[in-house]
Amino acid sequence: MVEVYSWGYFIRDLIVLLLSGSIVILLLSIGKSVRRNLGSRYFVRSFNILIASFVLVSLAELLGILMRTSLMWGNQLITDVRSVMLTIGALLLFTSSVMIYLPFSRNEYAIVATVTEPFTESIYGAYYGSHDEATRAFIKLVKKLHLPAIVLSRDPPEVFRAKLGLKLVPVIWISKVKHDDSVEPRRLPYLLERMIDFLRSTEMDKVIYIDCLEYLMLENGDDAVIKFITKLKDVASINRGIIVIDIEKGAINEKTFHILASELRHVEELDKVIAESGARAGI
């Protein structure tokens, strides 16, 4: 039977093991998307070193737990090995922290606010149209005007981008399927927070496209989604945002449709503003 000789240290090492192990699992689970989005080799190496440091700490804490029991009690070799592992882990963590700043110290990167002149102030706000109308308007804004965009869609990112001939536009997949790019439809407060963060992120025109309104209403109710849309519209109006929403009149409650139609503008108005402003700008 295994006996524990030092409960205080045993519990301490167990807590640290659980925390460091959880961090390792988290870092590994997001590793693919993080490496893809970091870009700089310094940042990627820093991330990999960070994982290695927590792996070493986890292994050292596992040895620490065993050292407090009759299995390895008093084993000096294990004590020395654990000390070396903790030291190396600390050095790796320090190295990872320093490497993040190397590209900036070498003037390879700089953090600057992205600012552009507004296309035209009358364009900001929220618009609705049928699937074909909304899609055409969105494509025009992204491909013709080259505006940054984010999408809420019932289609997985690869499927959505393939349909519209896009490659880089971020797509949040509204689905109950567990996936790196998916968000459950009932997480409206989280979706609202992400969209508002996007709208406030830069001083430039930007687009949000929503093609899953009916599904959101099915999962959350009409009133909750109406509040979600009107809040987005208000934030977009003062943060150079354009919301384009795919609404099929026959797919939602008639009363709900009229409420939305009174709050939003039809994409025909968006097309006119783009055409008039584009003609003035020579686009």
Side-chain angles (χ1 to χ4, degrees):
M1 181 178 178
V2 178
E3 296 183 39
V4 177
Y5 294 133
S6 179
W7 277 104
Y9 286 112
F10 180 88
I11 293 174
R12 181 202 66 181
D13 291 340
L14 178 60
I15 291 173
V16 176
L17 173 62
L18 292 175
L19 290 174
S20 58
S22 299
I23 292 173
V24 170
I25 293 172
L26 173 63
L27 293 176
L28 291 175
S29 66
I30 65 175
K32 184 178 179 181
S33 59
V34 168
R35 291 185 184 92
R36 182 177 65 245
N37 293 323
L38 284 176
S40 168
R41 65 183 185 278
Y42 293 104
F43 299 148
V44 172
R45 288 174 185 171
S46 174
F47 181 76
N48 292 335
I49 292 173
L50 181 66
I51 293 176
S53 69
F54 278 105
V55 168
L56 276 175
V57 170
S58 298
L59 293 175
E61 291 307 316
L62 178 59
L63 291 179
I65 291 173
L66 296 176
M67 286 167 52
R68 315 302 173 187
T69 69
S70 56
L71 293 174
M72 293 185 180
W73 181 259
N75 191 319
Q76 187 59 44
L77 176 61
I78 296 300
T79 301
D80 293 341
V81 169
R82 179 174 182 269
S83 296
V84 171
M85 293 174 69
L86 285 173
T87 301
I88 295 175
L91 289 173
L92 290 176
L93 185 59
F94 172 77
T95 303
S96 174
S97 301
V98 172
M99 286 186 69
I100 292 176
Y101 299 97
L102 284 179
F104 301 100
S105 67
R106 297 176 179 179
N107 295 320
E108 296 180 17
Y109 288 87
I111 298 176
V112 296
T114 303
V115 180
T116 62
E117 291 299 322
F119 190 75
T120 172
E121 293 183 2
S122 62
I123 202 172
Y124 306 135
Y127 301 82
Y128 77 95
S130 66
H131 176 72
D132 290 341
E133 292 170 334
T135 300
R136 280 197 299 269
F138 174 67
I139 289 294
K140 190 178 297 183
L141 291 166
V142 173
K143 288 190 172 182
K144 184 177 180 180
L145 302 185
H146 307 290
L147 301 187
I150 192 168
V151 176
L152 302 183
S153 178
R154 278 291 290 137
D155 289 326
E158 298 80 5
V159 174
F160 178 88
R161 287 191 286 259
K163 284 182 177 179
L164 274 63
L166 302 170
K167 295 181 179 180
L168 301 175
V169 171
V171 178
I172 299 176
W173 182 20
I174 307 302
S175 172
K176 295 180 180 180
V177 174
K178 298 297 181 182
H179 189 275
D180 289 344
D181 297 312
S182 69
V183 174
E184 292 192 0
R186 293 191 179 183
R187 297 184 65 189
L188 276 185
Y190 170 76
L191 289 171
L192 181 62
E193 182 181 354
R194 283 194 63 174
M195 296 302 100
I196 290 177
D197 286 345
F198 171 72
L199 289 169
R200 293 174 174 170
S201 61
T202 58
E203 283 297 319
M204 60 191 302
D205 301 344
K206 57 196 81 74
V207 187
I208 294 175
Y209 178 60
I210 302 174
D211 74 356
C212 52
L213 190 75
E214 294 87 353
Y215 183 55
L216 290 174
M217 287 180 172
L218 178 65
E219 292 290 337
N220 298 279
D222 292 7
D223 290 345
V225 176
I226 290 173
K227 292 177 182 178
F228 172 80
I229 294 299
T230 52
K231 176 66 174 181
L232 270 185
K233 182 199 76 170
D234 293 343
V235 176
S237 299
I238 59 175
N239 287 279
R240 298 177 60 176
I242 304 167
I243 316 294
V244 180
I245 307 172
D246 172 351
I247 301 179
E248 294 293 345
K249 183 176 180 180
I252 63 175
N253 180 280
E254 185 175 355
K255 177 183 177 181
T256 300
F257 176 80
H258 287 301
I259 293 174
L260 288 172
S262 67
E263 287 284 341
L264 313 176
R265 291 183 279 175
H266 196 273
V267 290
E268 288 180 350
E269 295 184 42
L270 179 61
D271 290 335
K272 291 178 181 177
V273 174
I274 293 174
E276 292 171 0
S277 301
R280 290 195 301 268
I283 297 178

